[in-house]
Amino acid sequence: MTDLIATHLTPDELDDWLAGSLARNREAHLHGCADCRRLADADRALAHLLGTLPLFSPAAGFGDRVMARVEVRRRARPMAVAAALAAGLLLPMAASVGWSLANPDTLAQLLQGAGSGISGFGVATVRSLGSTLLAQPWYPWVRGLFESPARLGLVFGATTVAYAGGVLVLRRLMALPMPRVAHVQG
Amino acid sequence: MAKPGIDLATLSDQDVVLQARDGRQAAYRELVRRYERPIFSLIYRMVRNREQAEDLSQETFVKALNAIESYRPEYKFSSWIFKIANNVSIDHLRRRELDTLSLDGSPHALTPEAIQASALQLGDRQETALEELEAKELGGEIEQAISTLRPEYRACILLRHVEGRPYEEIATMLDLPLGTVKTYIHRARGELRQALAHLRQ
């Protein structure tokens, strides 16, 4: 405590004194130390002088000159965007439902026709793909891999390792050093 | 145009910014009205040239208002615009320092005529009305003393004691560590105390 009372005020403590928040034991030092008192008084006078400096005004029409170079933009309001999206989705849906209710027979015919057409196309595609696959020269070899549990496990393990390796490589590639984002610059 | 019934002058900065983001030109004007004097004063004291201070103040507002969407309302608008103003001033001072000609003439001048033509002519210049105004405005002892400070010290001391900003805010504005801001301000005060010592005696 004695040491603290004997030590001169630090710049931070001078700030505290200017702000009226200097610790009591340091106040005691200030009262007894002519050097610190002189420094504190000078700082107070300086702060007062700086605080009374006038503000200057730019030339008349400053605001107009600024506004001539500012692009005033109207921000899209979230509610308006949501309403537009809702209208864009709901109106066609409502029209579709309305038409369906008014024309149930036509709708049923259309659905039936479309359903049979789609299913016929699907079956033909699957058959074609199946026969093409069976005709491939490597098909028996691939099929052989799935004939014993040991081979199946080996294939599964190798596939998993290859997949994990690929993911790791991709992550590595995607984690290239990013440029630093600049602060709002003057 | 402001919404009928909304008096922009009574709104907080944050609310005026929201109005500006809604495309209300009056809100932009209100922000200019609130900050034109503090921003101009800071820049003027930094660059000590009225014409350049006007240009740089305009640049500050144009940058801030054209990027109003990127302003984050959790920070004070004043900190944001003062930060832009300080960056604009410091950049200008750095450029000016690079552009300053030697008193003996441009280093790029190769012939004696070119050297003479580019040399600063001392003594034969007429003081313009603008320069007279500057001399009057910045001619006081305290203003002269501020002008002798390093630009970093000057910015810190002006923001602290003229604008009354807390240390933490100054550190944020100037992208400096808090300790550095305190050191700059203490050193600036020391230099100003010394420069103005004769006034106290």
Side-chain angles (χ1 to χ4, degrees):
Chain A
M1 181 68 85
T2 312
D3 283 350
L4 198 60
I5 289 174
T7 316
H8 289 311
L9 293 189
T10 64
D12 281 348
E13 287 172 330
L14 282 170
D15 269 339
D16 291 344
W17 181 73
L18 284 175
S21 57
L22 184 64
R24 190 165 293 188
N25 56 348
R26 305 302 286 143
E27 285 273 7
H29 170 83
L30 185 61
H31 285 300
C33 176
D35 287 343
C36 284
R37 189 79 220 169
R38 204 176 303 118
L39 201 59
D41 285 341
D43 262 5
R44 183 163 60 185
L46 182 64
H48 174 74
L49 202 57
L50 289 166
T52 55
L53 284 178
L55 285 181
F56 300 118
S57 296
F62 177 79
D64 293 335
R65 290 193 294 282
V66 168
M67 290 311 294
R69 292 172 58 195
V70 170
E71 191 187 338
V72 177
R73 278 168 291 203
R74 183 174 288 275
R75 185 175 53 168
R77 294 180 190 179
M79 284 300 289
V81 173
L85 275 175
L89 285 171
L90 290 177
L91 281 178
M93 279 174 71
S96 164
V97 169
W99 183 86
S100 305
L101 289 174
N103 306 282
D105 296 338
T106 317
L107 181 68
Q109 279 176 4
L110 280 174
L111 285 177
Q112 202 174 5
S116 59
I118 289 169
S119 62
F121 178 74
V123 169
T125 306
V126 169
R127 273 188 187 159
S128 160
L129 280 175
S131 57
T132 309
L133 185 68
L134 292 174
Q136 296 302 312
W138 44 261
Y139 176 74
W141 181 80
V142 171
R143 195 176 168 186
L145 288 178
F146 294 93
E147 278 175 350
S148 78
R151 281 184 187 174
L152 194 61
L154 200 67
V155 168
F156 182 73
T159 311
T160 309
V161 167
Y163 176 76
V167 168
L168 282 175
V169 168
L170 272 176
R171 287 189 62 170
R172 189 78 184 251
L173 286 173
M174 290 169 76
L176 286 172
M178 299 287 286
R180 288 185 64 192
V181 177
H183 289 282
V184 175
Q185 261 292 331
Chain B
M1 193 152 65
K3 271 182 187 168
I6 293 184
D7 181 6
L8 289 169
T10 62
L11 296 182
S12 67
D13 284 352
Q14 264 78 356
D15 289 335
V16 178
V17 169
L18 289 179
Q19 298 281 324
R21 283 179 172 180
D22 275 348
R24 301 207 163 82
Q25 201 182 42
Y28 283 79
R29 282 189 178 275
E30 174 63 17
L31 291 170
V32 176
R33 189 192 66 75
R34 286 184 189 190
Y35 287 100
E36 63 180 344
R37 294 185 72 211
I39 292 293
F40 177 74
S41 301
L42 175 77
I43 295 178
Y44 189 22
R45 287 193 168 103
M46 291 292 287
V47 303
R48 295 183 64 80
N49 177 300
R50 238 184 184 277
E51 218 171 321
Q52 288 169 0
E54 288 254 0
D55 289 346
L56 297 175
S57 303
Q58 262 193 55
E59 194 182 326
T60 300
F61 278 101
V62 170
K63 275 187 177 173
L65 298 180
N66 278 335
I68 199 89
E69 288 293 334
S70 67
Y71 162 67
R72 291 161 64 187
E74 62 265 32
Y75 297 111
K76 282 183 173 179
F77 179 80
S78 57
S79 301
W80 191 58
I81 197 156
F82 272 113
K83 179 179 188 158
I84 297 174
N86 181 66
N87 288 343
V88 164
S89 308
I90 297 285
D91 284 351
H92 172 82
L93 290 173
R94 282 184 190 141
R95 275 199 309 271
R96 193 163 76 179
E97 201 175 319
L98 288 175
D99 291 345
T100 302
L101 292 175
S102 138
L103 276 176
D104 298 329
S106 165
H108 306 295
L110 298 175
T111 64
E113 293 77 22
I115 292 170
Q116 196 179 358
S118 62
L120 289 180
Q121 300 297 307
L122 303 176
D124 63 346
R125 58 194 289 275
Q126 295 283 317
E127 202 172 55
T128 64
L130 197 62
E131 284 165 340
E132 268 182 52
L133 180 61
E134 282 167 12
K136 197 176 154 195
E137 285 177 333
L138 301 177
E141 299 227 32
I142 178 78
E143 298 282 7
Q144 295 278 6
I146 292 170
S147 75
T148 61
L149 297 174
R150 275 171 52 179
E152 297 85 355
Y153 291 6
R154 216 181 305 164
C156 285
I157 201 93
L158 289 172
L159 288 168
R160 175 77 188 118
H161 288 294
V162 180
E163 286 302 320
R165 305 283 161 179
Y167 287 113
E168 292 78 8
E169 199 182 326
I170 298 171
T172 310
M173 281 184 209
L174 306 186
D175 275 335
L176 290 172
L178 183 61
T180 306
V181 169
K182 285 186 174 180
T183 305
Y184 281 3
I185 290 175
H186 298 150
R187 285 183 187 164
R189 280 212 293 251
E191 288 184 21
L192 291 178
R193 270 198 311 263
Q194 262 191 328
L196 301 170
H198 64 283
L199 291 180
R200 291 201 311 274
Q201 285 158 5

